Amino acid sequence: MTTLAQAKTMGGVGSILVLLSFVPTVGFILGIAGLVMVLLAVKQISDAVNEREIFNNVLMAVILQIVGTAILTFAVIGGIFSMFLIPSGPFFDGFTDSSMMGEGAVFAFLGFFVVGLIAMWIVLIIAARFLRRGYERIAERTGTGMFGTVGRWYFYGALLLIVLVGFIIILIAEILQIVAFFSLPESPPTQPGPQQPTGVQPI
């Protein structure tokens, strides 16, 4: 029988590294390494309980999170370029200070940023829905109910991300994720087999 011992350790350590992604300088590297370890741990759990859909849901969540971050990044870059493309005045007379940005440039930047922020928010909500679905299945198949709690907190955090309180909720979810992985059993619980109809003797 496939055990969950390696997934338990790898997922727990990976979750700690993800939590350390806020550390200056090396935080980004720690976060990436932790995310890879969590994905590998989920893959091992998925294989152990023989349900590939678990890994597919979590992988889709990670891909959408990357897409959402990329959307906001490109929106900010586009906004910065727009500030330099839009003239600061009605005409260029040869004496205008090119370092002064007009109101149109500022509004263009804000427009790009707001649109990118809303698009990222929507994508992250969809990602959190996939993550919740995958974690709830882990909770059901391994008997570790904490994963269901983590999935719900991630989803609620994504919903409230636009009002900033979502960051705190997601931070709590990341802490609970550490507890969830270290709470995994050493092996998947035995799933009950099909019951015989009453009064029918097996052949």
Side-chain angles (χ1 to χ4, degrees):
M1 177 183 292
T2 306
T3 66
L4 297 173
Q6 189 173 0
K8 180 177 183 177
T9 303
M10 184 176 296
V13 174
S15 298
I16 293 175
L17 293 179
V18 170
L19 195 61
L20 294 177
S21 59
F22 299 102
V23 175
T25 309
V26 297
F28 178 76
I29 299 175
L30 294 177
I32 293 296
L35 185 59
V36 171
M37 292 178 68
V38 169
L39 276 177
L40 291 175
V42 171
K43 180 64 168 61
Q44 291 174 348
I45 295 172
S46 182
D47 292 341
V49 301
N50 196 27
E51 187 170 338
R52 184 171 178 79
E53 197 65 23
I54 290 175
F55 177 70
N56 290 342
N57 281 321
V58 177
L59 179 62
M60 181 60 69
V62 172
I63 292 174
L64 288 174
Q65 288 173 354
I66 295 173
V67 170
T69 304
I71 289 174
L72 182 61
T73 302
F74 282 120
V76 171
I77 294 175
I80 293 174
F81 274 108
S82 69
M83 293 180 68
F84 292 98
L85 293 176
I86 297 177
S88 58
F91 61 93
F92 179 69
D93 56 8
F95 299 98
T96 305
D97 185 356
S98 60
S99 65
M100 298 297 291
M101 297 298 174
E103 292 183 1
V106 174
F107 282 124
F109 173 79
L110 291 177
F112 271 98
F113 179 76
V114 171
V115 170
L117 189 64
I118 294 175
M120 183 190 71
W121 178 48
I122 294 173
V123 172
L124 290 183
I125 291 175
I126 299 173
R129 184 70 187 96
F130 276 101
L131 186 67
R132 178 179 178 178
R133 189 181 303 167
Y135 274 11
E136 285 179 345
R137 286 302 296 163
I138 292 178
E140 293 174 9
R141 296 303 302 273
T142 65
T144 311
M146 181 61 72
F147 275 101
T149 303
V150 173
R152 288 191 296 272
W153 277 73
Y154 265 118
F155 183 68
Y156 299 148
L159 286 176
L160 297 173
L161 202 58
I162 201 70
V163 291
L164 300 183
V165 69
F167 286 103
I168 299 176
I169 297 177
I170 290 177
L171 179 61
I172 295 174
E174 290 181 352
I175 296 173
L176 294 178
Q177 182 173 270
I178 300 172
V179 178
F181 273 109
F182 282 125
S183 299
L184 280 170
E186 293 296 322
S187 59
T190 303
Q191 298 296 319
Q195 297 182 352
Q196 293 290 338
T198 306
V200 177
Q201 298 296 327
I203 298 177

